[in-house]
Amino acid sequence: MLKAANIIYKKGNNEQQHSALQLPRILSSFETWGFSVTGLLLWIAAAPAMNKELGSQAIFVWLPGVIVGILLNLQVKHFGSFWQEISGGTPNYTTRLLKNYPSLGKYAAIGYYISWVAVLPINAIILADLVNDNLAHFNLVYSPILLRVGFTIIAFVVAFSGTRALGILHLFFVVPAVGLILAFCLQGNFWLVFSSDSPGFLPKSWSNFNFVAWAKWFLFATYAVYSCETASSFVADSKKPRNTLQSLVFTACLIPIVYLGGSWLVMRLATAPELGNDTFLNLVAAAQPFWDGSAAFLVTFLIVSGCLLTCATAVANSPRVLYQLALDGHISPVFAITSRQGILAPGLVFTLIVSLLLLIWGNLSQIVAATSVGWLSSFIGLHWGLWLNRGRPEVRWAWLSLFFAICESVALIVGGLAWGGKYLLIGLFAPIAILGVDALLRRVKLKKIHPIWWIERYYPTSTVKHQDLVLVQVSILLLLLCGTTLITWIIRGKLEGVPGTVQANLLVVVLMTVAFVGVAIACWTSLPQVAAIAQLQEQTEQRFITAMETMPDTILVLNGKGIIRQANPAATSLFDIKLPHLVGLHLDKLLPSLPEDMEKWSRISEHTLQHAQVLRAVEMTFSDGVHRDTDEYVVILRDFTERKQAEIERTRLLLQEQAARAEAEAAQERITNTLESITDGFFALDKEWRVTYLNLQAEKILLRSREELLGKNIWSAFNYTGSLGEEFYIQAQKTVSENVVTHFEAFSPTYNMWLECHFYPSSEGMSSYFRNISDRKQAEADINKSLQQQQELTELKSSLITRMSHEFRTPLSIILSSTELIEHYSHRLSDEKKSTLFNQVTNSAKQITKLLDECLTINQAESQKIKFNPSLIELEKLIQELIAEIQSNTDNHKITFLGEGNCQSAVMDVNILRKSLNELLVNAIKYSPEGSEIQLKVTCENKKAVFQVKDQGIGIPASEQNHVFERFYRGSNVSNISGIGLGLSIVKKLVELHQGSIDVSSEIGVGSTFTVVIPL
């Protein structure tokens, strides 16, 4: 079903292919960093309640949570560097780790998902209560249900406007919010340490430790401190995944500041019993000493921004978890559909439904208690997965993960029972219920939960005329302005007599809510026009890219500074650099002969390109004008290396001939020339093996100067190892000790050359002449290779003549006997008998023609004269035509065709493919009994085409199956069936031209299956 989502949309005369399953990389690094630090704001809701319950012991709940949270962020970043294509982050990494336990992996991922969905109703309840508390001063009380639903839906309205809109809005508010919470923690602890009014940094006494209470609140604390890894959910749609992953390190550095520093501050300053577990009152009490009168306003901003921002993160994160689970085949494929703007509508709708169901439940503490169970269960699954995959490069701290998993399991059971056994069971059962709903969705035949229904709306196959929404946008803007003015006028009078703190709190709530709603409305009204512009731009870019990709020459698009901004695939082959690495390079780095100043570039010029020790000659055509809008140049590079190499080869041969003549002339004068002029290397040794002289050529060959060697012992000056060193030592010792001339040849790995050495004894010691004979050795190797090839060709011809003589005898005898009968007894033969004789002649002629074709093909293959000309062909059509052609020549066998995968078209050599399949099918018919079935199966998947020809013939003995592709080899059980044993060897040669392979499996009396694999 997921494959059906990848479809081709036709618009006019153009075709555009777009994957409805791929998230567009549209989020900037700053936007994904905003989602990363949102987890710090969850501390606001957790800390006051824990402080009320545990007192000073709360810090011992946060401490292990902070340690695990930091390591978790670093581990998740490490995962992301290996799996940058995975969306949804941590839970989907867990499913990869638990791939051998898919049910457990799905359970953990859904537990994570439910916990993030629960953030929406939890924060909606907090915001609704905060609004009603402030409106009570105006004698205004609204229905809490309406307020809760409204605050829940706000984030979804923005999310349905597009991921980018949500990311920008989120970033706009998260910067001041996180800055404010960091200021709270740092300024407050600084005040505790240095202020004279401080009660002291350390408490005077500590509350008693209770393990059950610790486990209960640790279960709750992980809900906040483990949630700082959220940026990993957005790696797949980030423009710069590595920068997004880096935000996890940044957030990990802030975790101890907020979760330990903030908790310590609340523990020391929010100590009044009447504060209870009220978040607002506890934070105001903690901030009052150093923020004075601004404390209430700033705390309200923290609470409201924290609630709205975590809601925004939840609606962005939760659908991505479902999206990746669907892509990996764990849940219904409808959740894998995304729009061009990255809107995961099916996942958003499902998330909205689940959040509203939790909102109906309505009890804040019960929701937290139940969903915390699923949350911690998901991380227990993660840590067990890390332990099970220890040793893999993407896994770090496996032994610590095992320890964490055990401790978390104990905390889950003890803490869950402390919150209430009922909520523990609900939390454990909730993921199973969601998976049950998913299983139901897969079976229900409802059009709107099918991927195609969503694809047709996101990617219409016909051009859609977008409406002009300017009037709507202006009307909504006027409505917002007028409505704001009217509301301000109405409540202006009601503010008199109301405390300033209440006014400030209400102002924060109204400003934040209006901002979210305003952005949502702006996106909804402008989104159709933006989508139309994006679609038009996508079509234009697709046409340009298609044109570039079809060009055999390299095409580069440069900016005004000569830096590559775009390149076609041909550039990869020319520069041997992958396209992503080409972009951003200056062209003069690839072509050093280019001037750095683009104004000095010629319109047409030639350059030399070197990579991997291979030189290429390229001709560059440079556009002589700059695009007035984009400031871009177009450069076309054409590789004419072969032509240049031919010129260089002619020059080299000429120089080589001249050098040979010069060497011959120098040989006549060598006796009279000094040793400095000879082309051989020469050195002299005394009886102590010290170098007394060496000529210039010796310096060049040995790559050592005279200053380095004169007076030095030759055995200490050189490391004589390998064949040359050992032979040098043996022959030198023999020359001196036996006073004889010695001569040898050996290869030197040090100098990468063959050397011919002559040693002569002398009264002073020994002298040596040596020369580089690598060229001669190469020539000898080439001659030996040529002789070997000639011998193999002679043997092939001899075998071929012998086989052909034998095989030609039978059809020639049939032709001779048939023609003699027709010649001498034509008047006595019936028309039917004559027709039979003519058919025998025709069939024998065809047999001879086939034998000659096989001989010609094997000769071309051996001499490498078969040309390989791949082109785009209609693969299935070609196969069906071939089957029909072969079927028309036989009535005794039935040929069937079976195709799997997308085999409509492929890039192959049509003649080679046709010959190969024809030979296999004809062989199958030849060796199969009459009335049997021949099957040709073609499978196209994983970038390769697999052809299987299966017969019900005599089979091939197991001991002979490794030899059937050898020339002239025939099975021992072929009996009287004609043939010379060339067919399968020809097929093997042809398949190898396609960079493919052929194999056979067979059973005597059952049949044979020949499998050909060709890369696409």
Side-chain angles (χ1 to χ4, degrees):
M1 189 179 293
L2 288 176
K3 291 182 179 179
N6 292 317
I7 60 178
I8 296 178
Y9 304 94
K10 295 183 178 180
K11 299 187 178 183
N13 295 325
N14 299 320
E15 289 189 354
Q16 178 185 16
Q17 185 172 359
H18 185 90
S19 173
L21 304 179
Q22 184 177 1
L23 276 174
R25 291 192 178 272
I26 58 176
L27 293 178
S28 69
S29 301
F30 288 111
E31 290 158 10
T32 55
W33 275 55
F35 288 115
S36 176
V37 296
T38 306
L40 300 172
L41 300 175
L42 290 174
W43 171 85
I44 297 171
M50 192 183 302
N51 181 63
K52 171 65 171 60
E53 181 81 12
L54 298 179
S56 58
Q57 290 299 320
I59 201 69
F60 297 107
V61 175
W62 289 117
L63 185 59
V66 165
I67 294 173
V68 179
I70 293 173
L71 295 178
L72 180 65
N73 268 35
L74 299 179
Q75 174 64 76
V76 170
K77 174 186 178 293
H78 195 59
F79 280 146
S81 64
F82 284 89
W83 298 325
Q84 292 187 12
E85 79 286 357
I86 294 183
S87 182
T90 305
N92 298 107
Y93 298 153
T94 303
T95 59
R96 293 292 175 99
L97 294 173
L98 297 175
K99 62 181 179 180
N100 294 329
Y101 308 93
S103 298
L104 183 59
K106 284 192 294 184
Y107 178 88
I110 294 300
Y112 181 99
Y113 164 77
I114 294 173
S115 303
W116 263 110
V117 174
V119 169
L120 293 159
I122 290 172
N123 287 293
I125 293 171
I126 293 173
L127 283 174
D129 293 344
L130 181 63
V131 170
N132 268 332
D133 289 344
N134 285 279
L135 289 178
H137 294 279
F138 302 96
N139 296 321
L140 295 173
V141 178
Y142 288 94
S143 169
I145 295 297
L146 292 178
L147 286 174
R148 292 174 180 179
V149 172
F151 282 118
T152 301
I153 293 177
I154 285 177
F156 285 95
V157 173
V158 181
F160 275 106
S161 302
T163 304
R164 190 77 198 285
L166 189 63
I168 293 173
L169 176 68
H170 188 278
L171 180 64
F172 182 79
F173 287 105
V174 79
V175 172
V178 173
L180 192 60
I181 197 172
L182 289 175
F184 172 82
C185 298
L186 295 174
Q187 185 180 356
N189 280 281
F190 184 85
W191 183 89
L192 275 177
V193 174
F194 297 103
S195 175
S196 59
D197 298 328
S198 168
F201 185 75
L202 296 174
K204 295 180 181 180
S205 62
W206 295 86
S207 54
N208 295 326
F209 180 79
N210 183 291
F211 177 73
V212 175
W214 180 92
K216 174 183 177 181
W217 287 98
F218 181 79
L219 177 62
F220 179 53
T222 59
Y223 211 152
V225 74
Y226 282 11
S227 63
C228 296
E229 40 63 69
T230 318
S232 61
S233 185
F234 304 92
V235 173
D237 43 1
S238 171
K239 293 178 181 178
K240 297 181 178 179
R242 293 187 181 276
N243 289 353
T244 296
L245 291 170
Q246 196 62 35
S247 68
L248 294 171
V249 179
F250 175 74
T251 306
C253 296
L254 300 182
I255 289 175
I257 297 176
V258 174
Y259 282 93
L260 294 180
S263 301
W264 189 270
L265 187 63
V266 171
M267 178 190 74
R268 296 297 296 124
L269 297 179
T271 56
E274 62 271 13
L275 297 177
N277 60 358
D278 186 282
T279 300
F280 176 77
L281 295 178
N282 276 271
L283 293 180
V284 169
Q288 191 75 41
F290 50 89
W291 278 352
D292 299 327
S294 303
F297 174 81
L298 295 177
V299 167
T300 303
F301 177 82
L302 265 180
I303 295 174
V304 175
S305 62
C307 291
L308 290 176
L309 289 171
T310 50
C311 285
T313 301
V315 297
N317 183 26
S318 301
R320 279 167 171 74
V321 176
L322 299 179
Y323 162 80
Q324 190 63 47
L325 287 174
L327 276 187
D328 294 340
H330 294 301
I331 61 174
S332 175
V334 70
F335 295 111
I337 307 302
T338 177
S339 72
R340 286 187 175 90
Q341 293 77 35
I343 303 173
L344 300 166
L348 284 170
V349 171
F350 188 77
T351 301
L352 176 60
I353 293 171
V354 176
S355 62
L356 291 176
L357 290 175
L358 291 172
L359 199 61
I360 293 173
W361 187 356
N363 189 301
L364 185 62
S365 61
Q366 294 177 2
I367 294 174
V368 172
T371 54
S372 295
V373 172
W375 176 260
L376 189 55
S377 298
S378 69
F379 285 95
I380 293 173
L382 172 66
H383 286 130
W384 277 113
L386 288 168
W387 163 249
L388 293 174
N389 290 272
R390 59 191 180 277
R392 289 178 54 176
E394 61 267 28
V395 173
R396 307 171 72 180
W397 310 306
W399 284 96
L400 276 177
S401 297
L402 174 64
F403 175 71
F404 293 156
I406 295 172
C407 294
E408 288 165 347
S409 300
V410 174
L412 175 67
I413 297 172
V414 176
L417 292 174
W419 282 104
K422 177 174 64 175
Y423 306 120
L424 175 62
L425 293 177
I426 292 174
L428 293 174
F429 179 75
I432 299 174
I434 294 293
L435 290 173
V437 172
D438 171 68
L440 182 63
L441 290 177
R442 294 185 186 220
R443 288 168 173 76
V444 174
K445 295 182 179 180
L446 185 62
K447 190 175 182 181
K448 292 186 178 181
I449 60 175
H450 194 280
I452 299 301
W453 186 87
W454 291 93
I455 294 173
E456 289 173 351
R457 276 142 188 82
Y458 278 151
Y459 308 97
T461 55
S462 59
T463 303
V464 179
K465 183 178 181 181
H466 296 283
Q467 298 179 355
D468 186 359
L469 297 177
V470 174
L471 179 61
V472 177
Q473 292 172 341
V474 173
S475 300
I476 291 176
L477 181 60
L478 290 175
L479 180 62
L480 284 174
L481 290 173
C482 295
T484 304
T485 303
L486 180 61
I487 293 172
T488 303
W489 185 266
I490 291 173
I491 68 174
R492 177 175 174 273
K494 294 182 176 291
L495 290 175
E496 296 181 0
V498 176
T501 302
V502 175
Q503 296 181 28
N505 294 347
L506 188 61
L507 176 62
V508 171
V509 176
V510 171
L511 283 177
M512 295 287 291
T513 306
V514 169
F516 269 74
V517 174
V519 170
I521 293 174
C523 292
W524 273 97
T525 55
S526 61
L527 188 60
Q529 299 175 41
V530 174
I533 295 172
Q535 185 174 353
L536 179 60
Q537 182 181 3
E538 184 179 341
Q539 291 174 352
T540 305
E541 290 179 354
Q542 186 65 31
R543 295 190 188 102
F544 177 69
I545 292 172
T546 301
M548 288 183 64
E549 290 181 347
T550 55
M551 288 288 290
D553 295 335
T554 295
I555 300 177
L556 305 175
V557 179
L558 312 180
N559 65 9
K561 297 181 179 180
I563 295 175
I564 300 173
R565 299 177 63 178
Q566 195 170 358
N568 68 339
T572 299
S573 175
L574 179 64
F575 295 114
D576 196 22
I577 300 175
K578 294 182 180 180
L579 286 179
H581 299 155
L582 273 175
V583 176
L585 291 178
H586 198 288
L587 186 56
D588 66 0
K589 301 298 182 184
L590 301 173
L591 301 176
S593 56
L594 273 177
E596 186 175 353
D597 187 358
M598 290 182 65
E599 295 181 357
K600 298 180 181 179
W601 291 5
S602 302
R603 188 174 182 275
I604 299 176
S605 56
E606 294 184 1
H607 304 273
T608 300
L609 176 66
Q610 180 174 0
H611 62 80
Q613 298 182 349
V614 177
L615 291 177
R616 291 187 179 183
V618 294
E619 180 183 70
M620 186 182 90
T621 303
F622 176 56
S623 63
D624 55 359
V626 182
H627 195 283
R628 62 184 181 182
D629 295 327
T630 60
D631 189 28
E632 292 179 342
Y633 292 85
V634 175
V635 171
I636 300 176
L637 298 171
R638 177 167 297 169
D639 188 347
F640 66 104
T641 304
E642 293 183 1
R643 188 183 74 195
K644 196 72 173 179
Q645 285 178 342
E647 296 175 357
I648 295 173
E649 182 64 17
R650 286 195 297 271
T651 304
R652 189 188 67 80
L653 291 175
L654 179 61
L655 293 175
Q656 188 177 17
E657 183 180 354
Q658 294 174 350
R661 286 197 300 266
E663 185 178 352
E665 294 172 358
Q668 300 298 324
E669 302 174 357
R670 189 170 296 135
I671 297 176
T672 58
N673 289 342
T674 65
L675 289 174
E676 289 298 321
S677 65
I678 63 175
T679 58
D680 286 357
F682 174 84
F683 64 81
L685 306 176
D686 63 16
K687 293 184 179 181
E688 300 298 326
W689 303 104
R690 290 188 295 262
V691 178
T692 59
Y693 176 79
L694 73 159
N695 69 349
L696 181 62
Q697 190 64 19
E699 287 183 280
K700 294 179 179 179
I701 294 176
L702 300 176
L703 301 177
R704 304 286 287 274
S705 67
R706 300 182 188 189
E707 290 75 13
E708 291 178 274
L709 296 178
L710 288 176
K712 301 291 179 63
N713 184 288
I714 195 168
W715 308 123
S716 61
F718 292 90
N719 181 18
Y720 283 97
T721 58
S723 60
L724 176 63
E726 295 172 359
E727 190 67 15
F728 185 97
Y729 182 83
I730 293 171
Q731 298 297 335
Q733 294 288 348
K734 181 178 179 181
T735 298
V736 173
S737 62
E738 298 180 12
N739 198 31
V740 295
V741 176
T742 57
H743 162 256
F744 69 96
E745 297 174 358
F747 179 78
S748 170
T750 304
Y751 304 109
N752 192 28
M753 66 177 66
W754 278 90
L755 291 175
E756 179 185 23
C757 302
H758 295 266
F759 292 163
Y760 299 91
S762 66
S763 57
E764 292 81 15
M766 185 192 81
S767 61
S768 171
Y769 292 88
F770 55 97
R771 68 180 64 177
N772 182 356
I773 59 169
S774 299
D775 292 340
R776 192 187 77 194
K777 284 292 185 178
Q778 183 62 45
E780 292 174 0
D782 292 342
I783 291 172
N784 292 334
K785 183 178 180 181
S786 177
L787 290 174
Q788 183 179 0
Q789 291 177 345
Q790 186 65 33
Q791 182 179 359
E792 291 177 355
L793 184 59
T794 301
E795 293 175 356
L796 172 63
K797 290 180 179 178
S798 176
S799 300
L800 186 60
I801 291 171
T802 303
R803 294 292 183 121
M804 293 298 292
S805 299
H806 176 75
E807 290 298 324
F808 277 6
R809 186 176 292 111
T810 300
L812 287 174
S813 298
I814 293 173
I815 292 173
L816 181 62
S817 62
S818 298
T819 53
E820 286 179 351
L821 287 173
I822 293 172
E823 179 182 1
H824 298 294
Y825 302 102
S826 175
H827 60 283
R828 299 182 184 179
L829 300 175
S830 63
D831 292 339
E832 182 179 356
K833 184 62 176 177
K834 291 178 181 179
S835 176
T836 301
L837 293 173
F838 280 125
N839 288 337
Q840 290 177 351
V841 172
T842 301
N843 292 335
S844 297
K846 289 181 178 179
Q847 185 177 355
I848 293 173
T849 301
K850 182 177 181 299
L851 292 172
L852 290 173
D853 286 342
E854 289 182 349
C855 292
L856 179 59
T857 302
I858 195 66
N859 181 60
Q860 290 176 334
E862 291 294 335
S863 57
Q864 299 181 350
K865 292 183 179 180
I866 297 179
K867 294 183 178 180
F868 178 58
N869 297 313
S871 61
L872 184 62
I873 63 173
E874 297 181 10
L875 183 57
E876 287 195 3
K877 181 180 179 182
L878 171 67
I879 294 173
Q880 291 171 352
E881 290 175 352
L882 176 62
I883 291 175
E885 178 183 326
I886 298 175
Q887 187 71 70
S888 66
N889 293 325
T890 177
D891 297 328
N892 301 324
H893 298 82
K894 180 181 179 182
I895 304 176
T896 60
F897 170 66
L898 177 61
E900 293 183 0
N902 184 10
C903 297
Q904 295 296 323
S905 61
V907 177
M908 297 182 183
D909 188 310
V910 62
N911 294 325
I912 291 177
L913 180 63
R914 187 180 181 89
K915 279 184 180 181
S916 303
L917 296 180
N918 181 80
E919 186 67 38
L920 292 175
L921 290 171
V922 170
N923 259 15
I925 292 173
K926 182 192 296 186
Y927 295 104
S928 298
E930 295 185 358
S932 64
E933 179 180 324
I934 311 297
Q935 184 187 76
L936 173 55
K937 179 180 178 182
V938 183
T939 305
C940 297
E941 60 181 6
N942 298 329
K943 296 183 179 180
K944 62 184 179 181
V946 181
F947 304 85
Q948 289 184 312
V949 177
K950 183 177 182 181
D951 62 43
Q952 300 172 356
I954 62 176
I956 304 169
S959 61
E960 300 178 9
Q961 291 178 15
N962 292 332
H963 303 286
V964 294
F965 298 108
E966 299 174 2
R967 293 193 303 271
F968 306 118
Y969 189 86
R970 304 196 71 211
S972 60
N973 61 335
V974 298
S975 187
N976 296 325
I977 301 174
S978 63
I980 60 174
L982 283 178
L984 290 178
S985 66
I986 291 174
V987 173
K988 187 174 187 297
K989 291 285 186 182
L990 296 178
V991 169
E992 288 174 348
L993 286 176
H994 257 296
Q995 302 299 316
S997 63
I998 183 170
D999 196 10
V1000 63
S1001 62
S1002 181
E1003 185 177 349
I1004 296 294
V1006 177
S1008 303
T1009 300
F1010 287 86
T1011 302
V1012 175
V1013 180
I1014 296 178
L1016 293 175

